[in-house]
Amino acid sequence: MYIAVNLQPADGELLGALGHDIDAFEKFYRRHVARVSAFAARRCSSPADVADVVAQTFVRLHEVADQYDSDRGAPRGFVFAVAANVINDHHRAAKRQRLLVFRRAGRDLLDADETDRIAGAIDAARAAPAARDALRSGPEDQSAIVALVAAGVSTTQAARDLGISPVTARVRLFRARRRLRSAMAHHVEDI
């Protein structure tokens, strides 16, 4: 009668030796790589991610093998716990990457001058209602000259259109601008 003798070291022994015995690491790797790969394949979206997770799992096992406690569970459970942590880390890193790409999207398309111009346009759009109210609350003759000049008409042409002298048009425009600057300064302080 023959008695079968198991000469293979147990997973617990191999796990305990991972940190300092390359042969133990190789045996442990060969014994568990298929299970870790299947575990990762169910939780990752691409073959490259699976390969990364499997590699990182065994690297991390090499680093934390001395933390294994056989009283707390089987070696296989320890391996899968490490693999689950690696997968979670992988998913968090991928999410951070996607958020970074999303935040950076389009920023490289604008140079500094364009960004400043857009910021100025946004500020002007926010201030427009207050400027419109300030313009409407003033004298009508000042509002008329500002409206024409804002539309691109020269001060001389605006004076002709309004039937006033160019000097009177410039004075009204000066007063309207001064009143608008004052109103807008108060508007900025209120924000």
Side-chain angles (χ1 to χ4, degrees):
M1 177 161 117
Y2 290 101
I3 298 176
V5 177
N6 185 3
L7 299 176
Q8 294 292 329
D11 284 345
E13 294 173 34
L14 290 174
L15 193 54
L18 285 186
H20 58 276
D21 184 351
I22 193 70
D23 291 330
F25 183 85
E26 181 181 355
K27 286 177 187 170
F28 193 83
Y29 174 84
R30 290 183 186 277
R31 205 176 277 180
H32 293 281
V33 69
R35 287 186 191 109
V36 172
S37 296
F39 182 78
R42 290 188 300 272
R43 290 161 178 81
C44 294
S45 59
S46 75
D49 291 345
V50 172
D52 288 345
V53 165
V54 171
Q56 290 172 14
T57 297
F58 283 98
V59 168
R60 190 159 312 160
L61 278 168
H62 182 266
E63 295 168 352
V64 299
D66 61 333
Q67 296 174 11
Y68 170 67
D69 181 3
S70 61
D71 295 335
R72 296 183 66 196
R76 185 181 294 180
F78 185 74
V79 170
F80 287 133
V82 170
N85 287 334
V86 169
I87 290 167
N88 289 337
D89 291 348
H90 178 77
H91 288 313
R92 280 191 295 272
K95 183 178 179 180
R96 282 191 305 270
Q97 179 69 27
R98 284 190 306 272
L99 290 173
L100 178 62
V101 167
F102 179 73
R103 283 195 308 258
R104 296 289 305 167
R107 288 189 182 182
D108 294 339
L109 302 176
L110 301 175
D111 62 16
D113 291 339
E114 291 171 324
T115 303
D116 291 342
R117 182 185 55 77
I118 290 170
I122 291 169
D123 292 342
R126 286 183 183 151
R132 210 173 9 258
D133 292 344
L135 189 59
R136 288 180 183 152
S137 68
E140 192 175 316
D141 57 350
Q142 289 180 8
S143 299
I145 190 76
V146 169
L148 287 170
V149 170
V153 176
S154 71
T155 308
T156 305
Q157 183 61 43
R160 266 190 239 126
D161 291 350
L162 293 172
I164 58 176
S165 73
V167 173
T168 303
R170 284 193 291 277
V171 169
R172 288 180 184 173
L173 184 60
F174 171 78
R175 289 178 181 163
R177 286 178 174 164
R178 183 177 57 194
R179 188 172 40 75
L180 284 173
R181 272 193 296 273
S182 175
M184 295 312 296
H186 293 301
H187 173 72
V188 170
E189 290 172 3
D190 292 341
I191 292 179

